[in-house]
Amino acid sequence: MIVIFGLMIFALSNSNNDKAPAPKVIAPYLLALFCLYFIYTFFQRAPRISMDDNTIAVKYFFKLKLYHWTEVNAVAMSSKQNYSVLLLFGQSLEATCVSFNNGEKLFIWDDMYSNTASMRQLIANNTKDKITDPAPHINTKLIFADKKTYAGNPWITFNSIIIIAMAVCFTIMFLNHPIHPEMAWFPVGCVLLFGLALGTQMNYFVLDGTSLHVKNHYFFWKNKVFDLTDINEFAIETPHKRSTSLRVITKDFQSKLFGAGSLREKNWRQLRDDITAIGIPVRADTYIGR
């Protein structure tokens, strides 16, 4: 938006027409106001937070709020909260919510801070009896002895169809209109770029003994392993304009999100039911049926 604002101002300043229509003159300045507003909103939603063993200091643009740990009423270490802009636009994002006795709330957004896990650890150390998140109680007798896979069909997903359709369209186009061999990098690059981007959302899951394996249909060498005893909670969610995903939250408050575009509702339900039976809480923030 800032770049567009600059280009519009540049175009107006170099225009030969001294009497430009009022909307054209006003538009770039309105755009500049929106830019400033969004920057202001970002720092208001994600202020600078300093914590120690006694206090929480929250620094906004024009004010500083100081809280003592004794003022904390409740803590949701992992929850979905509405991140709104202009009261009209917004999305549901993962956040830690700290509620105080005076009714105020402090949101620590996963996407806004690089050290969220460290802040959560300090919060947990000072508010152990006020955390509302359900604790895992793993029943080792129910952990599967054999592998159990939750994958779906990767080739009939929206992500795969887009990539296949692009490859087919480019192939038909160049069969009818041959191009110079040196230009072949463009369609190949487009397909590979989309494959790389969408492939990150093509994970699937395997429960194997005492571990959860995160594998990928496209990148077959990928194998992220989590010990079930190290996991505090799972969350099933649908991020904005992305595939339904599984969030893994560990006991040291690390949070990892894995898109799984090939899983259908029945796969998600089975995964939820099996993990819940083991004793690990599963939070479904998107509809997967019953």
Side-chain angles (χ1 to χ4, degrees):
M1 291 175 70
I2 294 174
V3 171
I4 294 173
F5 161 70
L7 292 174
M8 293 173 74
I9 293 295
F10 178 79
L12 286 172
S13 64
N14 288 277
S15 175
N16 295 324
N17 187 1
D18 296 331
K19 296 182 178 180
K24 290 186 178 180
V25 175
I26 297 173
Y29 295 99
L30 289 176
L31 187 62
L33 288 175
F34 272 108
C35 291
L36 294 174
Y37 172 77
F38 283 122
I39 293 172
Y40 171 79
T41 300
F42 173 80
F43 285 104
Q44 286 297 101
R45 295 284 191 279
R48 179 175 178 174
I49 302 172
S50 300
M51 299 180 184
D52 57 32
D53 289 333
N54 298 309
T55 59
I56 306 173
V58 185
K59 184 174 179 56
Y60 297 93
F61 258 128
F62 305 112
K63 62 182 177 181
L64 173 67
K65 288 189 175 183
L66 192 66
Y67 304 96
H68 292 273
W69 290 111
T70 55
E71 299 177 55
V72 176
N73 183 46
V75 177
M77 299 297 292
S78 178
S79 64
K80 277 290 178 291
Q81 303 292 339
N82 184 47
Y83 185 93
S84 61
V85 178
L86 287 175
L87 301 178
L88 298 175
F89 311 100
Q91 55 183 313
S92 183
L93 297 179
E94 185 77 9
T96 293
C97 177
V98 182
S99 302
F100 299 97
N101 293 329
N102 61 3
E104 296 181 359
K105 294 182 178 181
L106 173 64
F107 297 111
I108 302 176
W109 309 96
D110 264 25
D111 294 344
M112 309 301 175
Y113 298 94
S114 61
N115 61 336
T116 307
S118 300
M119 287 194 285
R120 283 175 170 168
Q121 187 65 62
L122 190 55
I123 292 171
N125 291 340
N126 288 278
T127 61
K128 290 181 179 179
D129 57 336
K130 299 175 182 177
I131 296 175
T132 60
D133 301 58
H137 299 285
I138 297 178
N139 186 343
T140 55
K141 294 180 180 179
L142 294 178
I143 293 180
F144 310 112
D146 300 322
K147 288 184 179 180
K148 197 165 185 179
T149 302
Y150 312 85
N153 189 329
W155 308 115
I156 58 174
T157 64
F158 180 75
N159 296 335
S160 295
I161 290 172
I162 288 179
I163 298 171
I164 294 171
M166 285 184 61
V168 171
C169 287
F170 278 127
T171 301
I172 294 174
M173 183 186 303
F174 296 130
L175 286 176
N176 294 329
H177 303 281
I179 62 171
H180 195 278
E182 293 182 356
M183 294 299 295
W185 63 267
F186 176 74
V188 174
C190 285
V191 174
L192 290 177
L193 183 62
F194 271 82
L196 180 63
L198 298 178
T200 59
Q201 302 181 47
M202 292 299 291
N203 297 297
Y204 66 97
F205 311 104
V206 178
L207 280 175
D208 178 15
T210 60
S211 303
L212 173 75
H213 297 251
V214 181
K215 298 176 177 287
N216 193 285
H217 291 292
Y218 291 1
F219 314 130
F220 57 88
W221 58 88
K222 179 178 178 181
N223 183 27
K224 178 72 173 177
V225 182
F226 294 93
D227 192 317
L228 293 176
T229 57
D230 293 334
I231 296 173
N232 198 56
E233 184 183 7
F234 289 101
I236 300 171
E237 58 188 79
T238 304
H240 185 58
K241 295 183 178 180
R242 292 178 59 187
S243 302
T244 301
S245 308
L246 181 69
R247 182 179 296 277
V248 182
I249 304 165
T250 60
K251 290 183 178 178
D252 60 354
F253 302 107
Q254 297 289 337
S255 178
K256 299 291 185 182
L257 189 66
F258 300 98
S262 66
L263 273 69
R264 300 292 184 261
E265 286 186 6
K266 64 179 182 180
N267 304 122
W268 285 116
R269 288 195 298 270
Q270 188 63 56
L271 178 62
R272 176 200 61 191
D273 294 343
D274 290 343
I275 292 176
T276 303
I278 292 172
I280 302 176
V282 181
R283 192 179 76 241
D285 295 322
T286 190
Y287 179 78
I288 59 172
R290 294 183 178 180

